mmCIF file of all heavy atoms in Angstrom:
data_model
loop_
_atom_site.group_PDB
_atom_site.id
_atom_site.type_symbol
_atom_site.label_atom_id
_atom_site.label_comp_id
_atom_site.label_asym_id
_atom_site.label_seq_id
_atom_site.Cartn_x
_atom_site.Cartn_y
_atom_site.Cartn_z
ATOM 1 N N LEU A 60 -3.685 -11.249 -18.656
ATOM 2 C CA LEU A 60 -3.361 -11.480 -17.221
ATOM 3 C C LEU A 60 -1.757 -11.638 -17.138
ATOM 4 O O LEU A 60 -1.121 -12.232 -18.040
ATOM 5 C CB LEU A 60 -3.916 -12.763 -16.782
ATOM 6 C CG LEU A 60 -3.552 -13.367 -15.445
ATOM 7 C CD1 LEU A 60 -4.085 -12.474 -14.408
ATOM 8 C CD2 LEU A 60 -4.019 -14.790 -15.294
ATOM 9 N N VAL A 61 -1.234 -11.190 -16.119
ATOM 10 C CA VAL A 61 0.168 -11.396 -15.717
ATOM 11 C C VAL A 61 0.089 -11.807 -14.348
ATOM 12 O O VAL A 61 -0.426 -11.195 -13.433
ATOM 13 C CB VAL A 61 1.037 -10.072 -15.799
ATOM 14 C CG1 VAL A 61 2.428 -10.358 -15.368
ATOM 15 C CG2 VAL A 61 1.023 -9.490 -17.256
ATOM 16 N N ASP A 62 0.627 -13.103 -14.165
ATOM 17 C CA ASP A 62 0.601 -13.727 -12.821
ATOM 18 C C ASP A 62 1.975 -13.989 -12.448
ATOM 19 O O ASP A 62 2.728 -14.724 -13.148
ATOM 20 C CB ASP A 62 -0.265 -15.016 -12.858
ATOM 21 C CG ASP A 62 -0.361 -15.711 -11.645
ATOM 22 O OD1 ASP A 62 -0.759 -15.016 -10.598
ATOM 23 O OD2 ASP A 62 -0.246 -16.946 -11.524
ATOM 24 N N PHE A 63 2.289 -13.607 -11.245
ATOM 25 C CA PHE A 63 3.656 -13.865 -10.705
ATOM 26 C C PHE A 63 3.606 -15.068 -9.770
ATOM 27 O O PHE A 63 2.920 -15.102 -8.832
ATOM 28 C CB PHE A 63 4.236 -12.636 -9.991
ATOM 29 C CG PHE A 63 4.462 -11.498 -10.796
ATOM 30 C CD1 PHE A 63 3.420 -10.521 -10.906
ATOM 31 C CD2 PHE A 63 5.589 -11.404 -11.683
ATOM 32 C CE1 PHE A 63 3.668 -9.340 -11.769
ATOM 33 C CE2 PHE A 63 5.842 -10.260 -12.421
ATOM 34 C CZ PHE A 63 4.767 -9.303 -12.528
ATOM 35 N N MET A 64 4.424 -16.072 -10.051
ATOM 36 C CA MET A 64 4.379 -17.262 -9.301
ATOM 37 C C MET A 64 4.986 -17.150 -8.018
ATOM 38 O O MET A 64 6.013 -16.416 -7.948
ATOM 39 C CB MET A 64 5.078 -18.477 -10.174
ATOM 40 C CG MET A 64 4.534 -18.619 -11.563
ATOM 41 S SD MET A 64 2.701 -19.062 -11.506
ATOM 42 C CE MET A 64 2.769 -20.771 -11.077
ATOM 43 N N GLN A 65 4.557 -17.867 -7.000
ATOM 44 C CA GLN A 65 5.267 -17.871 -5.691
ATOM 45 C C GLN A 65 6.651 -18.668 -5.883
ATOM 46 O O GLN A 65 6.687 -19.600 -6.710
ATOM 47 C CB GLN A 65 4.419 -18.591 -4.676
ATOM 48 C CG GLN A 65 3.214 -17.780 -4.299
ATOM 49 C CD GLN A 65 2.363 -18.515 -3.190
ATOM 50 O OE1 GLN A 65 2.845 -19.589 -2.654
ATOM 51 N NE2 GLN A 65 1.303 -18.012 -2.824
ATOM 52 N N ARG A 66 7.635 -18.160 -5.112
ATOM 53 C CA ARG A 66 8.909 -18.789 -5.164
ATOM 54 C C ARG A 66 8.812 -20.232 -4.797
ATOM 55 O O ARG A 66 8.128 -20.714 -3.777
ATOM 56 C CB ARG A 66 9.887 -18.116 -4.089
ATOM 57 C CG ARG A 66 11.295 -18.494 -4.379
ATOM 58 C CD ARG A 66 12.242 -17.718 -3.414
ATOM 59 N NE ARG A 66 12.212 -16.342 -3.902
ATOM 60 C CZ ARG A 66 13.031 -15.738 -4.951
ATOM 61 N NH1 ARG A 66 13.734 -16.614 -5.543
ATOM 62 N NH2 ARG A 66 12.951 -14.519 -5.270
ATOM 63 N N GLY A 67 9.384 -21.232 -5.648
ATOM 64 C CA GLY A 67 9.341 -22.615 -5.262
ATOM 65 C C GLY A 67 8.248 -23.277 -6.029
ATOM 66 O O GLY A 67 8.160 -24.621 -5.994
ATOM 67 N N THR A 68 7.346 -22.584 -6.663
ATOM 68 C CA THR A 68 6.220 -23.296 -7.479
ATOM 69 C C THR A 68 6.744 -23.753 -8.772
ATOM 70 O O THR A 68 7.473 -23.059 -9.405
ATOM 71 C CB THR A 68 5.153 -22.119 -7.666
ATOM 72 O OG1 THR A 68 4.755 -21.704 -6.434
ATOM 73 C CG2 THR A 68 3.913 -22.878 -8.352
ATOM 74 N N THR A 69 6.337 -24.927 -9.015
ATOM 75 C CA THR A 69 6.531 -25.551 -10.258
ATOM 76 C C THR A 69 5.536 -25.360 -11.399
ATOM 77 O O THR A 69 4.364 -25.345 -11.035
ATOM 78 C CB THR A 69 6.732 -27.053 -10.272
ATOM 79 O OG1 THR A 69 7.684 -27.339 -9.264
ATOM 80 C CG2 THR A 69 7.163 -27.758 -11.458
ATOM 81 N N ILE A 70 5.946 -24.844 -12.629
ATOM 82 C CA ILE A 70 4.953 -24.586 -13.665
ATOM 83 C C ILE A 70 4.604 -25.953 -14.228
ATOM 84 O O ILE A 70 5.326 -26.649 -14.821
ATOM 85 C CB ILE A 70 5.639 -23.861 -14.784
ATOM 86 C CG1 ILE A 70 6.287 -22.513 -14.277
ATOM 87 C CG2 ILE A 70 4.754 -23.564 -15.983
ATOM 88 C CD1 ILE A 70 5.134 -21.500 -13.880
ATOM 89 N N ASN A 71 3.307 -26.276 -14.007
ATOM 90 C CA ASN A 71 2.751 -27.547 -14.538
ATOM 91 C C ASN A 71 1.242 -27.453 -14.823
ATOM 92 O O ASN A 71 0.725 -26.310 -14.541
ATOM 93 C CB ASN A 71 3.057 -28.694 -13.550
ATOM 94 C CG ASN A 71 2.493 -28.524 -12.256
ATOM 95 O OD1 ASN A 71 1.616 -27.673 -11.936
ATOM 96 N ND2 ASN A 71 3.131 -29.112 -11.186
ATOM 97 N N ALA A 72 0.560 -28.449 -15.144
ATOM 98 C CA ALA A 72 -0.864 -28.272 -15.424
ATOM 99 C C ALA A 72 -1.672 -27.885 -14.272
ATOM 100 O O ALA A 72 -2.559 -27.139 -14.365
ATOM 101 C CB ALA A 72 -1.419 -29.616 -15.908
ATOM 102 N N VAL A 73 -1.172 -28.259 -13.078
ATOM 103 C CA VAL A 73 -1.954 -27.819 -11.865
ATOM 104 C C VAL A 73 -1.810 -26.345 -11.592
ATOM 105 O O VAL A 73 -2.789 -25.685 -11.343
ATOM 106 C CB VAL A 73 -1.479 -28.588 -10.580
ATOM 107 C CG1 VAL A 73 -2.130 -28.167 -9.221
ATOM 108 C CG2 VAL A 73 -1.730 -30.127 -10.777
ATOM 109 N N ALA A 74 -0.614 -25.799 -11.777
ATOM 110 C CA ALA A 74 -0.426 -24.365 -11.648
ATOM 111 C C ALA A 74 -1.146 -23.569 -12.642
ATOM 112 O O ALA A 74 -1.756 -22.571 -12.337
ATOM 113 C CB ALA A 74 1.124 -24.123 -11.672
ATOM 114 N N TYR A 75 -1.191 -24.052 -13.879
ATOM 115 C CA TYR A 75 -1.893 -23.329 -14.894
ATOM 116 C C TYR A 75 -3.402 -23.291 -14.565
ATOM 117 O O TYR A 75 -4.180 -22.369 -14.837
ATOM 118 C CB TYR A 75 -1.619 -23.915 -16.312
ATOM 119 C CG TYR A 75 -0.452 -23.386 -16.951
ATOM 120 C CD1 TYR A 75 0.493 -24.208 -17.442
ATOM 121 C CD2 TYR A 75 -0.363 -21.942 -17.115
ATOM 122 C CE1 TYR A 75 1.673 -23.620 -18.253
ATOM 123 C CE2 TYR A 75 0.813 -21.460 -17.713
ATOM 124 C CZ TYR A 75 1.720 -22.266 -18.268
ATOM 125 O OH TYR A 75 2.845 -21.819 -18.867
ATOM 126 N N GLY A 76 -3.887 -24.574 -14.144
ATOM 127 C CA GLY A 76 -5.400 -24.673 -13.843
ATOM 128 C C GLY A 76 -5.784 -23.796 -12.726
ATOM 129 O O GLY A 76 -6.723 -23.073 -12.746
ATOM 130 N N GLN A 77 -4.945 -23.660 -11.703
ATOM 131 C CA GLN A 77 -5.199 -22.679 -10.593
ATOM 132 C C GLN A 77 -5.140 -21.205 -11.163
ATOM 133 O O GLN A 77 -5.960 -20.432 -10.608
ATOM 134 C CB GLN A 77 -4.224 -22.897 -9.444
ATOM 135 C CG GLN A 77 -4.318 -24.125 -8.735
ATOM 136 C CD GLN A 77 -3.314 -24.379 -7.670
ATOM 137 O OE1 GLN A 77 -2.262 -23.730 -7.715
ATOM 138 N NE2 GLN A 77 -3.645 -25.414 -6.875
#
Side-chain angles (χ1 to χ4, degrees):
L60 174 70
V61 177
D62 183 45
F63 295 98
M64 305 298 288
Q65 291 182 4
R66 190 172 295 275
T68 303
T69 303
I70 302 291
N71 56 24
V73 174
Y75 275 128
Q77 290 173 347

